[in-house]
Amino acid sequence: MEVLVCGGAGYIGSHAVAALLEQGHSVIVFDSLEKGKRAAVLPPAQLVVGDLRSPAEIGKVFADHKIDAVLHFAAYSLVGQSVETPAEYYRNNVTGTQNLLDAMRDAGVLRIVFSSTAAVYGEPEHIPITEEQKTEPTSPYGESKLAVEKMLKWYDRAYGIKYIALRYFNVAGAHPGGKIGEDHNPETHLIPIVLGAALGKTDGIKIFGGDYDTKDGSCVRDYIHVMDLIDAHILALNKLHEAGAASQTYNLGYGRGFSNLEIVQAAKKITEVDIKVEMAPRRPGDPSVLIASPEKAIRELGFSPRYDSLEAIISSAWKFHKTHPNGLEGNP
Ligand code: UDP
């Protein structure tokens, strides 16, 4: 099928493009390249540079191509930054997605897989987190994703657009081929920061908070390998093509957590570098423990992880970082 991947030049989107190509699909990437990298778009995917905030630019894609389904990764995704610039988060994540959905409706394209987030839950009531738990985001980022989930519900009801919203926990790791991986600027995520320190890009790392009520005092997160995450997108895409497919929402994680200090320990072992660690104050807005219940995705989507080990996640990321110390488009 012909799949439109919005945000296909970004970290997660580029892995989706790789998987779709491997499965023989034809792929159009729509990306503003504000955060995405041209080098992340593997051939023969076709890149259209454009911005979802422009109805005309996204509308043209549907006029020029016969799209069967959409995977939508394009968004701003930093919790802290969203608190500083909520207007930009609403405009890009919510208005941008509305422009996409309007263009889909006008073109009669009725299937979308949407990247949502564990941030829709805010501070969880119970661990592991099931999809029925209350959604009370603690940031404009989480709010913007929840607003889109709600928009999807009403666009389904009125216009028949079927969606699967996937609430990601902590995505990490890289394609085993080593050609694409996580490359943000600035980088705020723990695993690439730890690996950057192992490469000598920084002096060491800071762990935000050692006084949480967890096994070792540092925060606990459910890290999911980007390859497994993308497998779930392909399963979702296929499910949307089944007769009588209904819209759905699923958590994507493994149902277990690692503390920040455990991540550093594992990274030290894999990189064989003695990464310097400094304990620092808590980062505002960080819940202490986020662990998914992936049961619904396992049961209904057939989610079946293949890379479910911290070793697999960190070593694949390490392979990418070692070979791309200055990122995807940096000079070696
Ligand atoms: N973290 C940290 N030092 C860093 C970056 C992140 O201690 O330099 C912590 C962060 O406070 C959180 C965990 O690592 O407890 C995961 O953060 P990340 O930003 O990777 O993902 P998030 O859980 O915010 O989506």
Side-chain angles (χ1 to χ4, degrees):
M1 64 181 104
E2 181 112 355
V3 183
L4 173 65
V5 183
C6 296
Y11 164 46
I12 301 173
S14 63
H15 285 76
V17 171
L20 289 165
L21 293 175
E22 280 159 23
Q23 301 207 351
H25 296 296
S26 157
V27 179
I28 311 288
V29 170
F30 183 81
D31 199 297
S32 69
L33 299 184
E34 181 186 338
K35 307 274 179 202
K37 305 278 178 350
R38 198 177 283 274
V41 180
L42 299 176
Q46 184 186 331
L47 172 65
V48 177
V49 180
D51 198 311
L52 286 179
R53 286 164 290 199
S54 160
E57 287 176 16
I58 185 61
K60 185 168 186 311
V61 177
F62 288 94
D64 290 350
H65 301 274
K66 201 179 159 348
I67 307 290
D68 296 300
V70 177
L71 299 190
H72 176 29
F73 300 92
Y76 292 150
S77 62
L78 300 180
V79 168
Q81 188 184 58
S82 77
V83 178
E84 306 299 320
T85 58
E88 299 316 318
Y89 273 70
Y90 275 91
R91 193 162 297 113
N92 195 29
N93 296 4
V94 182
T95 309
T97 303
Q98 184 171 16
N99 292 338
L100 170 63
L101 293 177
D102 288 349
M104 289 175 64
R105 178 199 56 191
D106 295 347
V109 177
L110 300 178
R111 296 179 186 96
I112 180 168
V113 181
F114 172 63
S115 304
S116 190
T117 170
V120 298
Y121 296 110
E123 190 66 49
E125 286 179 305
H126 307 287
I127 297 294
I129 303 172
T130 54
E131 290 80 356
E132 299 75 43
Q133 273 199 36
K134 76 168 180 353
T135 46
E136 214 166 275
T138 49
S139 70
Y141 169 62
E143 291 285 9
S144 72
K145 291 288 184 175
L146 187 59
V148 170
E149 287 193 10
K150 291 182 177 172
M151 194 192 301
L152 285 165
K153 182 181 89 177
W154 295 108
Y155 270 60
D156 176 3
R157 201 164 298 181
Y159 312 125
I161 295 179
K162 298 294 169 202
Y163 67 90
I164 291 185
L166 298 173
R167 293 175 175 166
Y168 306 168
F169 282 64
N170 287 62
V171 188
H175 192 281
K179 286 200 170 65
I180 50 175
E182 191 165 5
D183 176 14
H184 296 118
N185 189 15
E187 188 52 80
T188 62
H189 294 116
L190 182 63
I191 291 179
I193 284 179
V194 170
L195 297 179
L199 282 172
K201 289 166 83 173
T202 58
D203 224 18
I205 66 140
K206 289 192 168 126
I207 292 293
F208 301 138
D211 57 350
Y212 287 97
D213 185 15
T214 57
K215 47 190 158 187
D216 58 22
S218 64
C219 288
V220 171
R221 294 288 180 271
D222 187 344
Y223 292 88
I224 173 169
H225 198 299
V226 66
M227 298 299 289
D228 283 334
L229 184 97
I230 293 307
D231 273 356
H233 287 67
I234 306 283
L235 291 167
L237 197 59
N238 293 338
K239 196 170 177 67
L240 287 173
H241 281 82
E242 287 171 6
S247 296
Q248 267 303 347
T249 301
Y250 299 101
N251 287 339
L252 289 181
Y254 292 140
R256 53 96 183 100
F258 292 102
S259 75
N260 294 342
L261 289 169
E262 285 174 329
I263 296 293
V264 179
Q265 266 322 107
K268 280 186 184 176
K269 199 162 150 224
I270 288 163
T271 61
E272 299 178 334
V273 177
D274 188 19
I275 301 155
K276 207 167 91 195
V277 177
E278 188 189 323
M279 296 311 290
R282 291 182 177 197
R283 189 172 70 174
D286 272 344
S288 59
V289 180
L290 288 177
I291 297 176
S293 164
E295 295 310 317
K296 186 178 172 195
I298 292 169
R299 207 172 50 240
E300 294 184 14
L301 269 187
F303 177 51
S304 168
R306 292 184 292 156
Y307 299 90
D308 176 7
S309 81
L310 195 52
E311 218 275 326
I313 291 173
I314 296 181
S315 53
S316 66
W318 181 230
K319 177 172 174 183
F320 172 75
H321 286 279
K322 260 192 317 194
T323 50
H324 300 80
N326 300 309
L328 274 162
E329 290 175 345
N331 298 317

